[in-house]
Amino acid sequence: MVTFADPANGKFAICEIPQTATWGTGPNDSIFCIANSPVTIYIVGEVRTTWFHTRLGAPQSYVNLRIRPVRAQDLRAARNLLASNATVPPRALISILAMFVLELNDVAAITKYKITVYASRRSTLKLKGAPHATPVEFTKCYDARFNDVVLMECYMTRYRVNDEGMVIYRGAWDIYRAAFELQALSLIAIGADTPIDDDSDNEADIGGVVL
């Protein structure tokens, strides 16, 4: 699964994405593509945080998920993919430098800069005549819980920012950041009661699941 590649359908594990992938054009200019078709990225990891509902159980307008990839190389691939396919505002350079600390094998630094991958998406519906969009249930997932081992499917998308790092919605793609947009979430295995050691560098065994 961590070496999965389906070129015909544009689906790849995070370490298997072809070098020919690049930002799309036209309607897909904000999506990472091959031949202008969106690339679906697979990342296997252990759930660290989820945000699908409010404390009262209502759907969120933006849902998100954070996982710890099963392999150190998958984490590096995800970080490098985001960093190498974005331009960075001058005041945000420190965040990119923090990403590359992961290459130093410094356990303290790795822990400090969160050895997780984050994906999110808007989950709203605007009905005809309604003044505002309404949050709706994100249904392409199971009830993800801390420690569960999951397959996270996502696109990589980009968004424009100005020189101050603030999001803007119009203009050329001069300055932009990249992020993972959640598409679906599938359960691989129910997690252990005790979380794994986040300082470990285990490359093939997490939560009792060998991939």
Side-chain angles (χ1 to χ4, degrees):
M1 192 175 298
V2 291
T3 59
F4 178 82
D6 180 5
N9 293 298
K11 299 180 178 183
F12 301 91
I14 186 67
C15 284
E16 305 299 324
I17 300 171
Q19 293 185 354
T20 54
T22 188
W23 295 114
T25 59
N28 288 338
D29 65 355
S30 65
I31 307 174
F32 206 56
C33 294
I34 295 177
N36 211 35
S37 293
V39 172
T40 300
I41 301 168
Y42 287 1
I43 308 175
V44 178
E46 188 177 65
V47 174
R48 281 295 176 259
T49 63
T50 63
W51 188 249
F52 294 106
H53 300 93
T54 68
R55 292 182 179 179
L56 298 178
Q60 293 282 3
S61 57
Y62 280 90
V63 298
N64 64 63
L65 172 77
R66 192 180 295 274
I67 66 170
R68 180 194 190 263
V70 296
R71 305 186 305 173
Q73 67 205 67
D74 294 337
L75 175 63
R76 287 192 293 268
R79 296 289 193 184
N80 290 340
L81 189 67
L82 292 172
S84 62
N85 289 284
T87 61
V88 183
R91 294 187 180 182
L93 282 174
I94 186 63
S95 64
I96 297 302
L97 293 176
M99 290 179 184
F100 286 106
V101 171
L102 294 166
E103 302 293 339
L104 301 180
N105 255 344
D106 184 329
V107 170
I110 289 174
T111 302
K112 180 178 180 181
Y113 291 111
K114 310 286 187 184
I115 54 173
T116 56
V117 174
Y118 173 89
S120 64
R121 69 168 297 124
R122 181 189 292 272
S123 186
T124 59
L125 176 66
K126 191 175 188 301
L127 299 175
K128 185 176 181 179
H132 305 292
T134 302
V136 295
E137 195 81 25
F138 178 65
T139 58
K140 293 184 178 180
C141 71
Y142 82 104
D143 185 17
R145 298 180 185 276
F146 181 80
N147 250 17
D148 287 349
V149 181
V150 298
L151 171 64
M152 183 171 76
E153 299 178 41
C154 54
Y155 288 166
M156 185 169 74
T157 61
R158 60 178 174 172
Y159 56 97
R160 299 175 183 88
V161 293
N162 61 21
D163 287 332
E164 306 298 321
M166 302 297 292
V167 176
I168 56 177
Y169 298 98
R170 292 182 176 84
W173 289 105
D174 295 325
I175 305 176
Y176 55 89
R177 290 178 176 169
F180 291 123
E181 180 184 277
L182 183 64
Q183 298 299 309
L185 182 68
S186 303
L187 176 66
I188 295 176
I190 296 174
D193 291 335
T194 303
I196 62 167
D197 181 1
D198 273 347
D199 292 346
S200 71
D201 195 26
N202 190 338
E203 298 217 347
D205 189 352
I206 189 169
V209 177
V210 179
L211 302 169

